[in-house]
Amino acid sequence: MNETLVQINNISKIYPTGEGGFLALNKLSLDITDGEFMGIVGPSGSGKTTLLNIIGTLDEQTSGEVLVLGKHVNKLSSKESASLRANKIGFIFQTYNLLPVYTVYENVELPLLLLQMKKEERRKAVMQALEWVGLTDKMHSRPNQLSGGQGQRVSIARAMVKTPRLVIADEPTANLDTENSINILDTMLKINQDIGTTFIFSTHDPKVIQYLKRVVTLIDGEKVKDDYQTGI
Amino acid sequence: MITKLAYKNILGNGWRSLINIFILSLVLTGMIWMQGLYDGWSRIARRQMQEWEFAGGHYAHQDYDKYDSFSLDKSFAAVPPKLQDLIDTGDAVPILYSAGIIYPHGRLTPVVIKGIPAEQNILRIPTTHLRIQDPDTQILPVLIGRQMAKSINVVKGDILTMRWKEVNGAYNAYDIQIVQIMDTPVPSTDMGQIWIDYDKLNEVKALKNSCSVIVLKNQAASTYVGSPWNFVSIDQSMKGVDAMIQTKRVGGYVFFVLLLFLAMIAVFDAQMLAVFKRRKEIGTLIALGMTKRQIIGLFTMEGTMYMLLGSVLTATLGLPLFFYFGFQGFPIPQQMSDFNIAGASEPIRCYYSPIMILSTFMIVMAVTVFASWLPSSKIARMKATYALLGKV
Ligand SMILES: Nc1ncnc2c1ncn2[C@@H]1O[C@H](COP(=O)(O)OP(=O)(O)O)[C@@H](O)[C@H]1O
Ligand SMILES: [Mg+2]
C-alpha cells in the first residue's frame, strides 16, 4: 500500500525563451506515495502547472529524473506515454475542458473508448462515475447546460471513470464559488478514502489547502516546504 | 468513436460546415453533370455517325484520304467478291466517291459526289429518292443536306449543272435536280456532299460496280479482304469527333478545377481554423490518452466527412438534375449546332457511367482528404501542455 507512485529526483525545467531560457523548476525533489491526497501550493507563476505537466507526462523536465508508476517519463515514446495516461492517469482541469459537442454521458465515456472497453462494461463504469459525482440525472445534458460546479463534477467523473491510479487536478476550484468548491473537494476526498486513488492538486486556494493531507509549497520553482497536516 | 466525434464536431460547426458541404456538393454535382454531358454527347455523336455514315464500320480504299480532295479521283476499286456477298444479302452497302463541281447561282462550288444504292437501308440517308424512273433521263436526281442547301442557297426542285472527271480524265457534265433536302445530324454527310444513285454514278464515270468505301451493317463482320481495302472500325471513325469533344471537355474542366480548388481552400480553411481554435481540445484529448496519430485521424476524418455529407447532398439535390438532363437532355443552343461536329443537332442526354461517377468522387475525395490532413499535421508539433493552460 505504500508504494511510491511518483518519484522526482532533482529536476529542473527551463523554458526556452529569447534570452537564455526561463527557469520554471529549480532542482526539485519529491516522492508521492500511493493513496496520497496532496497539493502543490504556491503563488501564480511559481511552477505548479509545470510540475503537474511533467508528472502527467505531458511535458518533460530539462534535467533530473522523473518516474511515474516506475517508468522514466522522459524515456517513454509518445505512444507509450499516451497509453500510460489513458490507463493510469486522470486529469481535472481548471476550465473543465469538456467536449462541447458531447453529452455528459459521452464525455465521461470517452476515456473508456480509448481503452477499447466493451459497451456494457463502459455503461457500468460511466454510471458508477456519474454516481460518485451525483450527476446521473444530467447524463443527457450538454456541457453548456451545466453550472460551473456541475461541469467540474463531470470532469471528475471523466477522470475517475477508468479508476486511474493517479488524478492530477490543476487548480480545480479556481473557477468555482465556495459551496461548489467544498462540494467537489468532498467528492474527491470520498473517492480517495473509498478506493484509494491518489490525488495531486495544484492550488493557492485556502479552502483546498484545508483538505490536503500534505502540502508542498513552491516559490519561484523551488520547493520551500513539505508539510503533512492532520487538520481534517 | 473517431467517426462519431468527427460527425458531432461538424454538426457543432454550424453554418460554416454547411457552406463547406454545399461547396463540395456543388463541385461534385457540376463535375458529374458536365462529364455526363460530354459522355452523352459522345454517345449521341457515335450513334448518329453509325446511323448516317459508318453503321458497323467500313472498308475504305487505301488511297482515300478525307482531308485530301485530290485523293478522291484515285481511291476507288471494284467491289471485292467477298464483300459482294454481303452487299447482295443487304449486310453491306458500297459507296463511290468522286470529286465534282456544281454551279449554284453561277458560283463555282467544289463538292464530293457520293454514289449510294437507292435501295439500301443500312444508312439513314433517304436514298429511295435517288431511284431513277426513266433510264434515259438527262436530269439526275440528287439529295443534299439542310446545311448544304442553306450554304449554296437552293431549294427542293432546283436544277443545277454538275461536272466531274471521268476515269480517263475528261470532264463530263450533267444536270442534276435536288429531289430532297434531308435533315442529317452528321455534318460529313451534309456539307459539300451530293448524294446520287450508285449505279448511275458508276455509269457516268464509265465505271462498273466500283466504290470507295463499303459500309458494313454489323460490327462483327470485320474480316480481312486484302488490298486495296482497309477496315476502319467505328472507334477509329469516332476518333476525330471524340478528340473534339475531349477538347471541349478540357475547356469545361478548367472551370471545375477552379471550383475544386475553392472547395479545397474551404476545407483547408475550416480545418486550419479548427486546429488553431481547438488547441485546448487537442491538449485535452492528448491528456486523456489519445495519441497524436489518433487526433490527426480525427481531424482528417472531419474534413473527409464534409466530403461524405457533400456527397449525400449531391445525391439528394443533384439527382433530380441528373435525371432531368439524363432523360430530357440538354438543348444545344443554335450557334452550337452550327459546329461542324456530329451530335450537336439534338438535345444531349447526359450519360453517367459508374466509372465516371466513381472517379469523380475519388478525385474530389482525394483533394478533400489532403486539404483536411494538411492542417492537422500541425497537431503533431503541438504542445500537449495547452490542455492545462488555464486560459481558454
Ligand atoms: N511555455 C512556456 N514558455 C515560457 N515560459 C513559461 C511557459 N510555461 C510557463 N512559463 C513560465 O514558467 C513559470 C511557471 O509557470 P506555471 O508552471 O504555469 O506556474 P503556475 O501554474 O504556478 O502559475 C511562469 O513564470 C510562466 O510564465
Ligand atoms: Mg498554473
Side-chain angles (χ1 to χ4, degrees):
Chain A
M1 191 58 198
N2 281 339
E3 187 192 342
T4 305
L5 272 193
V6 180
Q7 217 176 317
I8 296 169
N9 296 329
N10 200 27
I11 61 161
S12 296
K13 172 72 183 177
I14 299 168
Y15 285 115
T17 55
E19 60 290 341
F22 178 85
L23 183 63
L25 293 176
N26 191 6
K27 299 199 181 96
L28 186 138
S29 295
L30 181 67
D31 282 357
I32 300 168
T33 313
D34 198 7
E36 281 201 58
F37 199 77
M38 60 90 69
I40 316 291
V41 174
S44 185
S46 56
K48 303 183 295 293
T49 297
T50 304
L51 181 57
L52 291 191
N53 279 338
I54 293 172
I55 297 172
T57 76
L58 296 174
D59 205 352
E60 286 174 12
Q61 71 276 23
T62 311
S63 65
E65 213 180 34
V66 179
L67 284 96
V68 176
L69 290 153
K71 298 203 165 78
H72 285 274
V73 165
N74 60 351
K75 288 183 188 153
L76 296 176
S77 70
S78 79
K79 222 175 150 180
E80 286 166 334
S81 66
S83 163
L84 183 67
R85 288 191 297 273
N87 287 287
K88 309 282 187 199
I89 305 174
F91 285 89
I92 294 167
F93 309 102
Q94 179 184 336
T95 49
Y96 325 145
N97 297 16
L98 301 173
L99 302 188
V101 295
Y102 268 9
T103 62
V104 165
Y105 183 93
E106 290 164 334
N107 265 286
V108 177
E109 188 186 26
L110 185 60
L112 303 181
L113 291 168
L114 293 175
L115 298 177
Q116 318 209 306
M117 201 181 267
K118 287 205 195 67
K119 189 168 179 162
E120 234 351 272
E121 280 177 70
R122 290 204 305 264
R123 184 161 187 84
K124 253 189 237 159
V126 172
M127 294 317 287
Q128 169 70 71
L130 286 174
E131 212 159 290
W132 277 330
V133 299
L135 277 178
T136 12
D137 55 326
K138 291 278 182 219
M139 64 185 206
H140 298 303
S141 307
R142 307 229 165 232
N144 61 6
Q145 298 167 318
L146 303 175
S147 71
Q150 290 169 331
Q152 193 58 302
R153 272 146 66 197
V154 174
S155 108
I156 294 170
R158 180 177 63 184
M160 283 313 302
V161 73
K162 61 194 175 195
T163 49
R165 296 291 295 279
L166 179 65
V167 170
I168 291 171
D170 193 16
E171 311 212 25
T173 59
N175 288 359
L176 298 177
D177 58 23
T178 305
E179 196 191 325
N180 279 306
S181 299
I182 302 285
N183 184 307
I184 71 142
L185 281 163
D186 282 336
T187 305
M188 291 191 277
L189 187 61
K190 188 168 184 325
I191 290 169
N192 171 260
Q193 286 164 350
D194 287 356
I195 59 173
T197 310
T198 306
F199 280 81
I200 306 174
F201 294 86
S202 89
T203 189
H204 50 249
D205 178 352
K207 294 188 295 292
V208 179
I209 297 172
Q210 282 178 46
Y211 272 79
L212 302 174
K213 300 200 180 121
R214 178 183 176 196
V215 177
V216 173
T217 309
L218 287 190
I219 290 176
D220 291 338
E222 281 186 64
K223 184 169 99 173
V224 295
K225 260 200 308 196
D226 188 348
D227 294 333
Y228 288 83
Q229 334 188 110
T230 43
I232 278 196
Chain B
M1 175 208 71
I2 282 183
T3 317
K4 193 171 163 196
L5 188 58
Y7 178 70
K8 295 209 166 199
N9 279 330
I10 284 183
L11 289 189
N13 230 347
W15 60 270
R16 188 176 277 279
S17 298
L18 267 180
I19 287 179
N20 279 339
I21 292 165
F22 186 72
I23 289 177
L24 279 166
S25 88
L26 207 68
V27 171
L28 273 173
T29 310
M31 282 180 79
I32 290 174
W33 176 75
M34 186 113 176
Q35 297 197 83
L37 184 66
Y38 287 117
D39 287 348
W41 185 0
S42 169
R43 276 161 65 95
I44 288 173
R46 187 188 186 89
R47 197 195 71 224
Q48 290 179 342
M49 281 179 72
Q50 284 187 299
E51 285 173 357
W52 289 84
E53 203 173 11
F54 296 124
H58 67 284
Y59 289 94
H61 190 279
Q62 64 192 20
D63 292 336
Y64 174 61
D65 174 0
K66 69 173 169 180
Y67 299 110
D68 175 12
S69 60
F70 289 108
S71 76
L72 286 170
D73 284 325
K74 48 185 194 248
S75 54
F76 54 80
V79 173
K82 223 173 186 172
L83 295 179
Q84 187 61 51
D85 295 345
L86 286 177
I87 291 169
D88 292 342
T89 57
D91 289 314
V93 56
I95 302 172
L96 173 62
Y97 294 170
S98 172
I101 295 165
I102 55 171
Y103 299 90
H105 308 288
R107 267 215 328 269
L108 181 147
T109 311
V111 292
V112 177
I113 308 167
K114 290 185 170 170
I116 182 167
E119 64 278 8
Q120 70 82 29
N121 53 20
I122 290 175
L123 299 177
R124 283 180 65 178
I125 311 278
T127 49
T128 43
H129 294 286
L130 301 176
R131 197 162 289 142
I132 293 168
Q133 323 289 354
D134 170 12
D136 295 325
T137 185
Q138 292 305 297
I139 301 178
L140 306 179
V142 301
L143 259 176
I144 61 172
R146 176 89 46 209
Q147 296 293 329
M148 174 72 169
K150 210 165 110 187
S151 84
I152 62 175
N153 194 17
V154 296
V155 294
K156 187 170 160 179
D158 280 1
I159 294 178
L160 304 167
T161 302
M162 181 164 82
R163 302 208 310 154
W164 64 88
K165 243 199 243 169
E166 283 184 18
V167 268
N168 58 22
Y171 272 94
N172 201 342
Y174 258 93
D175 278 343
I176 56 168
Q177 182 170 34
I178 317 274
V179 291
Q180 183 67 27
I181 289 169
M182 62 177 176
D183 285 302
T184 164
V186 181
S188 49
T189 60
D190 184 338
M191 284 310 293
Q193 316 288 310
I194 303 271
W195 296 86
I196 190 169
D197 180 64
Y198 176 71
D199 291 328
K200 196 70 192 174
L201 185 60
N202 265 292
E203 181 195 320
V204 299
K205 282 186 68 114
L207 290 169
K208 213 170 158 357
N209 196 17
S210 294
C211 64
S212 308
V213 303
I214 296 160
V215 177
L216 302 176
K217 189 173 178 179
N218 301 315
Q219 221 146 359
S222 62
T223 44
Y224 177 72
V225 294
S227 181
W229 301 101
N230 293 332
F231 182 71
V232 185
S233 72
I234 189 72
D235 287 332
Q236 286 166 295
S237 302
M238 281 295 295
K239 260 188 201 137
V241 176
D242 278 342
M244 206 147 160
I245 293 175
Q246 202 56 35
T247 327
K248 305 228 178 293
R249 189 198 285 261
V250 168
Y253 273 160
V254 173
F255 180 62
F256 283 107
V257 166
L258 281 177
L259 259 187
L260 196 60
F261 190 68
L262 192 79
M264 187 168 129
I265 298 278
V267 172
F268 179 83
D269 179 65
Q271 290 311 95
M272 199 67 185
L273 194 78
V275 168
F276 180 77
K277 270 206 320 203
R278 287 158 60 189
R279 276 175 307 178
K280 199 171 106 179
E281 178 187 328
I282 292 166
T284 305
L285 293 173
I286 292 174
L288 291 180
M290 258 200 196
T291 61
K292 285 189 175 175
R293 186 193 283 258
Q294 281 173 317
I295 292 167
I296 290 171
L298 169 69
F299 275 76
T300 308
M301 174 74 87
E302 276 184 43
T304 310
M305 213 165 265
Y306 282 128
M307 167 68 193
L308 295 179
L309 291 173
S311 309
V312 172
L313 192 68
T314 305
T316 47
L317 293 188
L319 265 187
L321 185 88
F322 294 150
F323 272 114
Y324 178 81
F325 286 105
F327 289 113
Q328 208 59 30
F330 185 77
I332 299 297
Q334 190 51 46
Q335 69 269 32
M336 273 263 274
S337 55
D338 288 344
F339 278 160
N340 205 15
I341 183 164
S345 61
E346 60 181 271
I348 293 174
R349 291 213 188 99
C350 292
Y351 174 70
Y352 316 102
S353 70
I355 290 183
M356 180 273 281
I357 293 176
L358 203 71
S359 61
T360 306
F361 268 87
M362 295 304 238
I363 290 169
V364 181
M365 185 76 145
V367 168
T368 29
V369 170
F370 178 72
S372 48
W373 169 80
L374 207 59
S376 26
S377 57
K378 268 200 175 334
I379 293 170
R381 275 176 277 126
M382 206 162 205
K383 276 253 186 299
T385 47
Y386 275 120
L388 290 180
L389 287 180
K391 301 142 214 145
V392 178

